Amino acid sequence: SQSESSILFTEQLWKANDRKAQKQGVHKSVYWVKKRKPQEDGKIKGEKWYQSCSYEGDWNENVREGYGVMIYSNGNKYEGNWANNKREGHGTLWKLVNKSGEKYKRIYTGDWEEDKMSGQGTYFYPNEDRYDGSWFKGKKHGEGRMLYSNGDIYEGQWIEDMKEGYGTLTRATGDYFEGYWFRDMRHGQGSHYFAEKNKIYVGEWVDDVPKCGVLTEVEDDETVKESRPKYFTDQHKDMTYPSLELADPQEVLRDAIYQVRAVEEDY
């Protein structure tokens, strides 16, 4: 009958459209659209629907898998590998610089896992800082090097985006710290070289503050010692003073270090 043939035709048309919608293998751009929100007067300005983001690349059973390029609603772009609709493997994330979509600035190049930066990669910060090293779930984690825009360089261990473990910080001024860190602060045993005074401190640190240690002048044949003016030129007789010193300075230093480390155990 006519009604049965009409139903049959409708089912066939639905199947045909559904088959066309299936994404498998390499596809040209696929677009996502969103409904524009109404303004305070309840009216919608411009088109009712607008393009949110787009993807061009490999698919596997309607899932982004393989190599592809995703342009997000904010204009940023990702180029790289995908698995199960998530960034997985090696890829690069770009930030849109101008509204015309012609100029991009690199944000991150490296490994991805479960849509987050994980593995080895390089991150470019807006203030021109740059990090090269290990990542885990979107945070600096493991061994890495941070190049700061002011010329400072940190090389060492990180835990959840903070300097933690053993590392060295070389400042643009020439100062240099080598030792242990905890939550972005010098903490534990470490040595700090003061370039301006040509002295080095070796000892214990707590919350970025030196607590006990030894401060000595660095022996350097090329360093010209400062000549100080003689304010007193009259003849005078030197006074003899009794020497004042610790009976056992090493024991005093050891006791101080033990006390500091006892406090560190509370962290």
Side-chain angles (χ1 to χ4, degrees), residues 118-145:
S118 288
Q120 294 294 314
T122 300
Y123 193 95
F124 301 85
Y125 291 85
N127 64 348
E128 304 301 328
D129 290 353
R130 191 183 91 186
Y131 173 79
D132 304 304
S134 298
W135 296 81
F136 183 68
K137 293 185 178 181
K139 294 182 178 181
K140 298 184 291 291
H141 195 93
E143 294 286 338
R145 178 181 64 173

Side-chain angles (χ1 to χ4, degrees), residues 174-176 191-202 214-225:
D175 285 11
Y176 180 86
S191 60
H192 189 113
Y193 171 68
F194 300 91
E196 184 177 355
K197 297 181 179 181
N198 196 35
K199 292 184 178 181
I200 186 169
Y201 166 84
V202 180
V214 178
L215 180 66
T216 57
E217 187 171 356
V218 177
E219 294 293 336
D220 188 354
D221 296 335
E222 298 181 0
T223 302
V224 179
K225 294 187 177 181

Side-chain angles (χ1 to χ4, degrees), residues 49-110:
W49 299 90
Y50 68 96
Q51 178 183 328
S52 172
C53 52
S54 65
Y55 173 82
E56 181 175 350
D58 298 329
W59 295 81
N60 183 27
E61 296 183 355
N62 293 320
V63 172
R64 294 188 295 275
E65 193 157 319
Y67 181 84
V69 178
M70 184 85 173
I71 299 179
Y72 300 93
S73 57
N74 60 0
N76 291 352
K77 178 173 65 174
Y78 170 79
E79 298 176 311
N81 294 317
W82 297 77
N84 196 28
N85 271 340
K86 295 180 180 180
R87 292 168 291 192
E88 184 89 15
H90 191 82
T92 300
L93 181 64
W94 302 85
K95 178 179 176 61
L96 180 65
V97 177
N98 58 353
K99 293 183 179 180
S100 61
E102 300 173 352
K103 189 175 181 181
Y104 286 88
K105 186 176 181 180
R106 186 166 49 170
I107 299 176
Y108 173 81
T109 296

